[in-house]
Amino acid sequence: KKNQRTTRYKFRNNMGDVNHYRIRRIREIREARRVRRRGQLSRMLKDGDVLRYHGNSDEVGCFMAARPFSRGYRYFEVTIIDTGVRGMIAVGLVPKLYDLDHQPGWLQHSVAFHADDGKLYNGNTVGQQFGPKCCRGDKIGCGITPDSEDGQVTVFFTKNGKEVGSVEIAASLDTLYPAVGMHSLGEEVLLDLNAEWGTEEDDGQMIVDSHEDDWSCLHDVRLTGTLLKYVGKGKSIVDVGLAQARRPLNTRFHYYELEITDAGEKCYIALGLARRDYPKNRHPGWSRGSIAYHADDGKLFHGSGVGDPFGPRCFEGDVMGCGIMFPRDFSTDVSDDTDDWDFEVFSKPSEVQNDLYASNEDEDGEGEDVDGKKVMVFFTRNGKLVGRREVALPAGGLYPTIGMMSTGEKVRVDLHPLSG
């Protein structure tokens, strides 16, 4: 009997230990589920859908959503309630095991748009110029395009309902979690994880403005939002990739810009103007009825395959611009009074201005004589005038035209940077 009592006592103790373990595991599982439902926080306070920074400004605060993107969940938005001391608010995507002591976009496999400087951070603490800065009241969105595939997705960002730009990253859809970062006192945002972007009535699938209507010609160039990517062979001079805008420059919209987001192998990138239906396998500037500033050598090509020394070379991160200064008596449907261009910005010639004329003779005889009215075409680099050249305006006008010719080249284009 004594042995039986001892056995029963041990059995009860063992059962008590098992029950205690089970209860503890149930509590741990419930806590884990509760954390997953609300997402993960570091140095932030979450009150409903409002996120507030709760640190000392020396440390990053970061929020990661409870669930990753999926085929039916591809977009979220953040509205800035208060920029705090420095407005260091980041919106983007991070992997599941992301270190929440770092801003989204700083570490590998993460990407984010930062409000304080308008830069894109793609797995690096050094950002690339990407879009405008954001302030109180602005709404920042982040999403993935429907054509994204496993292993390679296109992430896009929006500001106040308009697309800022996009970037391709190596990742799978279900490994990316919405994230918000903050880094200074007083920062506060409203989080909307159920926001919608460009839904169609037919099937509810998200669509993104492709900007295809802005372009009449896209040869060996792939368009994603405002990003142009060269997809040609890049082996010889006949492998030019060309993009020509659908509308010519006029007195209302007479300037456009591109940012070199990837110089590719040789940075054979050209920015300029050309007549309508310009040859698709010719760099702008090479054939008659065109003029272009070439990034790789800083030369100006004006209707000839031989360029003139004109300005500095351009590299990744540089912003190149091209515009027309129309005569005051230029005939147009839009009056000069409504022109939003500030001519004083370019009133002083720069040190690199070249007033020599390039030959208008086309080596292969392509194109047409352009003896129309004269206009002044100018080029800029990072907001400063490089130089200008008087050009005969062909019938139909001059169209923004971009050329690329080496593997990996990418540019982000803004056809109306001065339209507000």
Side-chain angles (χ1 to χ4, degrees):
K1 291 182 178 179
K2 182 178 180 180
N3 290 337
Q4 288 179 350
R5 285 196 298 269
T6 303
T7 302
R8 289 173 183 170
Y9 177 75
K10 289 182 178 179
F11 178 76
R12 288 172 182 171
N13 279 347
N14 289 338
M15 286 300 295
D17 291 341
V18 171
N19 289 334
H20 178 73
Y21 172 76
R22 286 178 176 172
I23 292 171
R24 188 176 66 186
R25 283 295 297 150
I26 290 172
R27 287 175 178 172
E28 289 175 351
I29 292 170
R30 286 177 177 173
E31 176 62 19
R33 288 175 178 172
R34 187 172 63 86
V35 169
R36 285 198 295 269
R37 283 196 298 269
R38 73 182 185 189
Q40 297 183 39
L41 291 166
S42 174
R43 301 182 189 90
M44 278 194 192
L45 296 176
K46 189 172 187 292
D47 181 9
D49 292 327
V50 175
L51 295 173
R52 297 184 182 90
Y53 179 73
H54 191 63
N56 58 13
S57 291
D58 291 329
E59 301 169 314
V60 170
C62 191
F63 164 82
M64 185 178 76
R67 62 188 178 108
F69 272 174
S70 63
R71 293 193 177 277
Y73 171 45
R74 297 172 174 265
Y75 182 73
F76 78 104
E77 285 182 341
V78 164
T79 302
I80 301 176
I81 299 173
D82 198 325
T83 55
V85 176
R86 290 179 289 179
M88 300 177 72
I89 297 168
V91 178
L93 300 171
V94 300
K96 184 176 182 179
L97 300 178
Y98 194 74
D99 185 348
L100 300 183
D101 291 334
H102 295 78
Q103 283 274 30
W106 281 3
L107 299 183
Q108 197 173 14
H109 307 305
S110 71
V111 62
F113 177 41
H114 286 221
D116 60 312
D117 55 13
K119 290 184 178 181
L120 179 77
Y121 291 76
N122 187 5
N124 200 313
T125 55
V126 178
Q128 295 181 329
Q129 201 57 51
F130 185 69
K133 297 179 182 180
C134 303
C135 55
R136 180 184 298 179
D138 284 336
K139 185 176 293 185
I140 305 171
C142 174
I144 292 179
T145 59
D147 57 354
S148 296
E149 300 176 355
D150 268 353
Q152 192 76 17
V153 298
T154 301
V155 180
F156 68 93
F157 294 89
T158 66
K159 179 189 176 187
N160 299 330
K162 295 182 179 179
E163 185 182 347
V164 175
S166 60
V167 61
E168 290 184 1
I169 64 172
S172 296
L173 188 65
D174 58 359
T175 63
L176 297 172
Y177 290 72
V180 180
M182 300 185 197
H183 203 176
S184 75
L185 294 173
E187 292 171 350
E188 185 176 334
V189 302
L190 178 65
L191 179 67
D192 186 357
L193 293 174
N194 299 311
E196 295 182 353
W197 170 257
T199 54
E200 290 182 324
E201 292 182 1
D202 298 346
D203 54 12
Q205 292 293 315
M206 183 188 67
I207 58 171
V208 180
D209 184 5
S210 65
H211 293 267
E212 288 184 0
D213 290 342
D214 292 336
W215 303 93
S216 61
C217 172
L218 291 170
H219 172 70
D220 279 348
V221 172
R222 187 171 71 194
L223 176 68
T224 304
T226 58
L227 187 76
L228 295 175
K229 179 181 179 181
Y230 176 69
V231 293
K233 296 178 180 178
K235 301 294 184 182
S236 68
I237 62 172
V238 298
D239 296 326
V240 171
L242 193 82
Q244 187 173 67
R246 189 174 298 277
R247 299 173 182 82
L249 294 187
N250 55 48
T251 56
R252 176 66 177 169
F253 301 112
H254 46 69
Y255 177 74
Y256 80 103
E257 289 181 337
L258 69 76
E259 178 193 355
I260 302 175
T261 60
D262 195 328
E265 290 185 356
K266 298 181 180 179
C267 199
Y268 286 158
I269 297 169
L271 165 103
L273 301 169
R275 56 184 168 83
R276 184 166 46 193
D277 300 325
Y278 186 78
K280 64 183 180 180
N281 63 341
R282 299 281 289 174
H283 245 328
W286 284 359
S287 294
R288 281 185 289 182
S290 71
I291 184 170
Y293 177 28
H294 286 224
D296 62 308
D297 55 13
K299 290 185 177 181
L300 183 75
F301 289 76
H302 184 187
S304 171
V306 179
D308 287 342
F310 185 67
R313 297 169 60 192
C314 300
F315 305 93
E316 187 171 316
D318 284 335
V319 176
M320 304 171 68
C322 176
I324 296 178
M325 292 181 180
F326 289 96
R328 287 294 178 185
D329 59 349
F330 188 81
S331 175
T332 178
D333 293 335
V334 182
S335 69
D336 288 337
D337 293 337
T338 62
D339 195 351
D340 51 9
W341 179 254
D342 183 1
F343 284 97
E344 293 183 2
V345 173
F346 299 99
S347 61
K348 297 181 180 180
S350 71
E351 296 179 357
V352 296
Q353 182 168 345
N354 174 17
D355 290 327
L356 298 176
Y357 245 89
S359 172
N360 278 327
E361 293 299 318
D362 193 9
E363 293 180 343
D364 58 8
E366 289 183 353
E368 57 188 354
D369 292 329
V370 283
D371 297 326
K373 195 169 186 177
K374 300 289 185 179
V375 294
M376 188 67 70
V377 174
F378 64 91
F379 294 90
T380 66
R381 177 177 179 268
N382 298 329
K384 295 182 179 180
L385 178 68
V386 174
R388 62 188 85 182
R389 178 66 54 85
E390 191 177 51
V391 174
L393 193 67
L398 286 168
Y399 293 72
T401 307
I402 296 166
M404 294 184 275
M405 206 172 63
S406 78
T407 304
E409 293 171 347
K410 298 178 185 177
V411 299
R412 191 174 308 284
V413 183
D414 188 349
L415 291 174
H416 306 297
L418 304 175
S419 63

